[in-house]
Amino acid sequence: MTTNPAALAASRELVIDGRPLRVFDGHLPNVGDYVRGLERAAYTRTEIARPETAEHRHWATEVKLEALVQQPIFDITARAVLGFTTREFGYRPYRAYTNVASFGDMLFSHTDCLPEQHDLTALWYLCEQWDLEWGGETMFFDAQDEVACAVQPRPGRLVIFDGAIKHVGRPPNRICYAPRYTFAIKFERQRVPG
């Protein structure tokens, strides 16, 4: 439950094995500007899901935190993250990057942090349109590796989740000719002074 009045309201809230996941829609009005910027970005095949999948790298481009905090998308993300803060713990960004996947790419299930860390991942779907038949969902799994939730790409959709929830981004289906852009901002949990 969001307790901070400055926090964004989620359109969907779930708990997977005691860990939160929230979906936010309709908060990024200029998604097309971001998509056009991503179309010009320099991607390298450097990102891996897990050490044992290192031979299957996928495309990513890093964003410097100094530049990120100047962008409106960061302000929106920070307001959504406020809903996860408590009197004891807050969050600060430590990494930001965009992944791009196309039909035929291989993406692997993974977690973004150790269970005791309780870090957050904020994942934006940056597209101007997305069709249900195109695939590209992010699948979230419970402790028994059963699908607990699937989040479909939608223009400007944001999903924020505890990084210890196992998940995988599915590449687009054969009939999709658009790239699947996801912009991730990783937040580490830190104790609030005082």
Side-chain angles (χ1 to χ4, degrees), residues 103-149:
F103 172 73
D105 286 338
M106 182 63 204
L107 306 175
F108 291 89
S109 62
H110 61 283
T111 59
D112 293 340
C113 71
L114 297 173
E116 64 272 12
Q117 290 177 287
H118 297 283
D119 290 351
L120 294 178
T121 297
L123 190 67
W124 284 96
Y125 297 94
L126 298 177
C127 55
E128 293 187 86
Q129 65 174 1
W130 200 266
D131 188 285
L132 174 67
E133 304 303 336
W134 291 357
E137 304 85 4
T138 303
M139 309 292 286
F140 294 90
F141 303 94
D142 64 19
Q144 291 74 43
D145 286 338
E146 292 290 337
V147 175
C149 171

Side-chain angles (χ1 to χ4, degrees), residues 1-5 7-10 13 22 24 82-84:
M1 175 75 89
T2 301
T3 56
N4 189 320
L8 293 184
E13 296 187 34
R22 296 180 188 157
F24 302 83
L82 279 176
F84 292 83

Side-chain angles (χ1 to χ4, degrees), residues 79-115:
R79 286 185 50 219
V81 168
L82 279 176
F84 292 83
T85 62
T86 65
R87 289 183 181 180
E88 282 185 63
F89 295 102
Y91 295 90
R92 73 166 193 84
Y94 69 89
R95 184 177 179 215
Y97 59 97
T98 300
N99 286 316
V100 61
S102 299
F103 172 73
D105 286 338
M106 182 63 204
L107 306 175
F108 291 89
S109 62
H110 61 283
T111 59
D112 293 340
C113 71
L114 297 173

Side-chain angles (χ1 to χ4, degrees), residues 147-158:
V147 175
C149 171
V151 177
Q152 175 189 351
R154 288 201 180 151
R157 171 171 273 182
L158 169 64

